[in-house]
């Protein structure tokens, strides 16, 4: 079955994360939507309706069987309802379209509750709901690996699932506030304290004595230490040392230097303002807690400090004393004192050097995406 995940014009709404990927490839809970649909529908082929410059890496489809709103996170029940649509039916939930077949000319109202993303910060705000739904999808009918006796488990053991090859030693796991999923070959090192919900995807890791407050997601191959509260790491990113990160969104191939600290609350406890790629200016939000949002391939040096709701674009390198600006464009190099353009060839060299450590290199499609972003000076 060919499923087309449609950005629905929200490409910039979720930037900088979606500067390098479609909306349907954002991670929330345990999965990206593309991964989620492959779990929900046997033999599903996933395609994307997204920005033209992304389509070389993320293939489109002219004749899909179903078109799905990529900003909607499907549960098993909602997926079933979508699959049962008749020819030319469009499934609605209030003013939101959910999915359609054919030309979608016949409107039907969904009876299911839906989880829909309307703003960037809702990725971490709704991560707990998505994680709990995904936990049911991925563990249904399966048995967890056993938990070593060196650990302390607080709560119902059914809310902990450990995949084959994962290791957990001498740690405290509390599942009373949500499930903990530990993926294949993931590791929780000694002395860590975790309060769910937590998703650790394949080969991710918590360093010694890490403190995790859920809902938090570590995408594949992410390594995390220090104190983390309600954060989503997309994949292949590292925060390996002490320092606080809360209510944050971190892209792929990012690295936060030792003792990086990120504010997530204003001193006056008011609603935060943050940069909008749609309006190209800072706008007031309805969120009280908002930390760092960092695009793919960006990094920061040791002892970096970020203000509340700071946004960093793609492939920027932040370092030095003081607080840098709350919005840092893509392909920048510097800190509070000065920002200069990060030369494209040097940025690509840095990206490939990091990826080589995982046996990977930038694909032609990824190179094309980064080149497009570098040429758009407003991003």
């Amino acid at each position: 079955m060919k499923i087309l995940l449609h950005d629905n014009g929200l490409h910039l709404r979720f930037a900088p994360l979606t500067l390098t990927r479609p909306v349907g490839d954002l991670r929330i809970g345990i999965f990206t939507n593309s991964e989620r649909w492959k779990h929900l529908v046997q033999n599903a082929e996933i395609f994307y309706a997204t920005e033209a410059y992304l389509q070389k890496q993320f293939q489109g489809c002219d004749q899909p069987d179903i078109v799905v709103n990529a900003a909607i996170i499907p549960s098993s029940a909602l997926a079933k309802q979508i699959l049962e649509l008749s020819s030319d039916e469009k499934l609605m939930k209030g003013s939101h379209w959910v999915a359609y077949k054919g030309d979608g000319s016949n409107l039907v109202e969904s009876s299911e509750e839906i989880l829909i993303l309307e703003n960037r910060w809702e990725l971490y705000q709704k991560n707990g709901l998505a994680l709990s739904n995904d936990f049911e999808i991925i563990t249904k009918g399966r048995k967890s690996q056993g938990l070593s006796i060196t650990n302390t488990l607080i709560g119902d053991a059914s809310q902990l699932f450990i995949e084959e090859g994962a290791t957990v030693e001498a740690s405290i796991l509390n599942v009373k506030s949500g499930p903990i999923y530990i993926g294949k070959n993931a590791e929780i090192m000694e002395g860590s304290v975790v309060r769910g919900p937590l998703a650790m995807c394949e080969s991710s890791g918590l360093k010694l004595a890490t403190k995790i407050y859920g809902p938090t997601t570590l995408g594949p191959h992410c390594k995390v230490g220090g104190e983390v509260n309600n954060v989503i790491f997309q994949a292949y990113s590292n925060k390996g040392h002490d320092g606080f990160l809360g209510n944050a969104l971190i892209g792929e191939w990012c690295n936060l230097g030792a003792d990086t600290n990120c504010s997530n609350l204003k001193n006056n406890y008011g609603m935060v303002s943050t940069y909008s790629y749609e309006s190209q200016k800072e706008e007031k939000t309805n969120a009280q807690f908002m930390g760092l949002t960092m695009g793919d391939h960006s990094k920061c040096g040791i002892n970096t400090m970020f203000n509340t709701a700071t946004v960093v674009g793609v492939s920027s390198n932040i370092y030095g004393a003081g607080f840098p600006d709350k919005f840092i464009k893509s392909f920048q190099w510097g800190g509070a004192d000065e920002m200069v353009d990060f030369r494209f060839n040097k940025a690509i060299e840095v990206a490939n050097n990091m990826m080589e450590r995982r046996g990977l290199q930038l694909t032609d499609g990824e190179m094309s995406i980064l080149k497009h972003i570098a040429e758009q000076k407003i991003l």
Side-chain angles (χ1 to χ4, degrees):
M1 174 172 285
K2 296 179 180 180
I3 298 175
L4 183 70
L5 302 181
H6 201 296
D7 276 7
N8 197 29
L10 298 180
H11 167 65
L12 292 179
R13 183 77 56 87
F14 298 96
L17 299 176
T18 46
L19 295 180
T20 48
R21 60 176 58 78
V23 175
D25 204 51
L26 288 169
R27 188 172 303 278
I28 177 175
I30 298 174
F31 307 121
T32 65
N33 251 359
S34 53
E35 294 169 346
R36 191 172 286 109
W37 278 104
K38 287 179 180 179
H39 275 276
L40 291 168
V41 180
Q42 190 173 10
N43 299 320
E45 295 181 80
I46 307 301
F47 301 91
Y48 303 89
T50 186
E51 300 297 301
Y53 78 92
L54 295 172
Q55 296 277 202
K56 184 176 180 179
Q57 183 71 12
F58 300 93
Q59 187 178 357
C61 178
D62 292 331
Q63 293 183 314
D65 296 302
I66 302 177
V67 180
V68 178
N69 185 337
I72 287 176
I73 311 302
S75 62
S76 296
L78 181 60
K80 183 175 184 293
Q81 191 173 36
I82 290 171
L83 294 173
E84 291 174 350
L85 287 172
S86 299
S87 178
D88 296 331
E89 282 190 333
K90 177 183 279 189
L91 188 65
M92 302 292 296
K93 188 67 175 181
S95 60
H96 297 288
W97 72 272
V98 178
Y100 63 86
K101 289 183 178 179
D103 64 10
S105 55
N106 300 318
L107 303 186
V108 293
E109 184 72 12
S110 174
S111 58
E112 299 293 333
E113 292 296 319
I114 67 167
L115 179 56
I116 184 167
L117 303 173
E118 298 186 74
N119 292 291
R120 180 182 73 223
W121 48 92
E122 291 181 6
L123 284 161
Y124 65 78
Q125 288 178 333
K126 297 179 178 179
N127 195 39
L129 292 172
L131 205 159
S132 294
N133 286 339
D134 290 347
F135 187 84
E136 291 183 11
I137 292 170
I138 202 168
T139 64
K140 185 177 181 180
R142 302 175 62 221
K143 184 178 180 181
S144 170
Q145 301 295 306
L147 181 65
S148 165
I149 61 171
T150 65
N151 298 285
T152 298
L153 176 64
I154 303 171
D156 184 352
S158 70
Q159 294 300 290
L160 172 68
F161 196 93
I162 305 173
E163 295 280 10
E164 182 180 351
T167 58
V168 188
E169 297 293 350
S171 295
I172 300 173
L173 309 178
N174 187 340
V175 295
K176 283 191 170 182
S177 53
I180 295 176
Y181 171 78
I182 304 171
K184 183 179 179 181
N185 298 327
E187 180 180 19
I188 299 180
M189 293 185 180
E190 302 91 303
S192 294
V193 182
V194 175
R195 174 167 290 193
L198 170 68
M200 295 181 65
C201 297
E202 182 174 352
S203 299
S204 62
L206 298 183
K207 306 297 282 292
L208 290 169
T210 301
K211 293 179 286 186
I212 297 287
Y213 299 86
T216 287
T217 295
L218 277 64
H221 301 276
C222 290
K223 309 300 180 186
V224 170
E227 183 180 3
V228 169
N229 181 357
N230 190 199
V231 177
I232 299 177
F233 296 84
Q234 292 294 313
Y236 293 100
S237 289
N238 300 320
K239 179 200 172 298
H241 304 282
D242 285 345
F244 174 73
L245 182 66
N247 307 104
L249 302 168
I250 307 297
E252 292 189 0
W253 303 107
C254 298
N255 188 73
L256 305 184
D259 206 33
T260 293
N261 282 288
C262 310
S263 171
N264 64 336
L265 176 67
K266 294 174 65 174
N267 287 341
N268 64 5
Y269 297 88
M271 301 296 108
V272 302
S273 297
T274 191
Y275 184 78
S276 164
Y277 281 83
E278 289 182 303
S279 65
Q280 297 179 33
K281 63 182 181 181
E282 190 169 282
E283 293 192 347
K284 194 86 169 180
T285 75
N286 61 356
Q288 186 178 34
F289 290 92
M290 189 181 300
L292 173 68
T293 300
M294 179 177 278
D296 290 4
H297 295 287
S298 284
K299 302 175 176 56
C300 64
I302 62 170
N303 298 313
T304 303
M305 300 184 296
F306 289 104
N307 266 312
T308 310
T310 294
V311 176
V312 178
V314 172
S315 200
S316 285
N317 189 358
I318 315 304
Y319 57 86
F323 289 93
D325 289 343
K326 280 188 64 179
F327 171 57
I328 299 167
K329 293 190 297 184
S330 298
F331 291 92
Q332 297 294 293
W333 180 288
D337 294 333
E338 182 184 27
M339 281 287 179
V340 298
D341 289 342
F342 192 179
R343 286 181 295 164
F344 182 73
N345 288 344
K346 292 295 294 182
I348 295 303
E349 180 183 339
V350 170
N352 276 324
N353 285 344
M354 184 175 185
M355 294 176 75
E356 279 178 2
R357 300 172 72 232
R358 304 286 184 192
L360 299 171
Q361 286 278 283
L362 289 166
T363 66
D364 289 343
E366 290 167 337
M367 286 279 286
S368 175
I369 290 168
L370 292 175
K371 189 172 189 297
H372 175 88
I373 296 167
E375 291 172 348
Q376 305 301 307
K377 298 300 184 181
I378 63 171
L379 298 179

